[in-house]
Amino acid sequence: MKCSAKALVLAAALVSSANAQELRPYQIVGDAIPQSLTGAKGDAARGRAIVVNRQVGLCLLCHSGPFPEDRLQGNLSPDLTGTGARWTEGQLRLRMVDASKLNPATIMPPYYRTRDLTNVAAGFRNKPILDAAQIEDVVAFLTSLK
């Protein structure tokens, strides 16, 4: 049976889309995820862009930090200034992936979890807020804040 080129492209797109939603495995050791989710260091400049972006990271809804260009910053959660001096890379990674592993009553959303969530809009179900590369970018940025 022959497949048309369009059918092959569509099938590849569907497989690619499905794979993009799969979470990479990670191991929690103590209060940290010591290994990168991607196997590589993230990019701090991309991480900063995610943190200040009000449509992607949404970090500044709750956090404040060294972002003088952003007038409206949150005050519900810790200031991000000095984050890299307070926590290790692995500790920051766990807080980004799923802070409820450290504090079940946290208001921090799980940025890299798709199960056991409530009130998730249909378009966002079974998708993490950030992908593994974005998590690593944010971790790289946060660790640079000494």
Side-chain angles (χ1 to χ4, degrees):
M1 176 190 248
K2 287 188 173 182
C3 292
S4 72
K6 275 187 177 178
L8 287 174
V9 169
L10 179 60
L14 289 173
V15 168
S16 175
S17 175
N19 289 340
Q21 303 313 317
E22 290 179 21
L23 300 182
R24 296 179 187 207
Y26 58 85
Q27 183 178 13
I28 298 172
V29 178
D31 65 346
I33 298 174
Q35 300 299 315
S36 166
L37 298 176
T38 63
K41 292 271 188 196
D43 179 272
R46 285 193 310 255
R48 185 185 195 287
I50 291 167
V51 168
V52 300
N53 187 313
R54 295 183 187 272
Q55 281 77 45
V56 179
L58 302 169
C59 304
L60 298 184
L61 289 176
C62 297
H63 296 277
S64 60
F67 315 105
E69 71 279 13
D70 285 294
R71 292 183 312 112
L72 301 174
Q73 298 182 26
N75 61 5
L76 294 173
S77 300
D79 187 316
L80 297 177
T81 304
T83 298
R86 291 193 300 271
W87 293 291
T88 67
E89 182 180 300
Q91 289 171 320
L92 289 167
R93 187 174 294 110
L94 178 54
R95 282 162 173 76
M96 288 295 304
V97 166
D98 188 358
S100 73
K101 298 289 186 189
L102 298 167
N103 175 7
T106 186
I107 62 170
M108 174 90 167
Y111 279 82
Y112 199 68
R113 188 176 90 198
T114 59
R115 295 178 188 256
D116 303 320
L117 301 172
T118 57
N119 299 321
V120 178
F124 295 99
R125 288 187 189 131
N126 300 315
K127 298 176 188 175
I129 296 170
L130 298 177
D131 65 29
Q134 290 172 312
I135 294 287
E136 293 306 321
D137 291 341
V138 171
V139 167
F141 172 64
L142 293 175
T143 58
S144 76
L145 298 176
K146 302 288 184 185

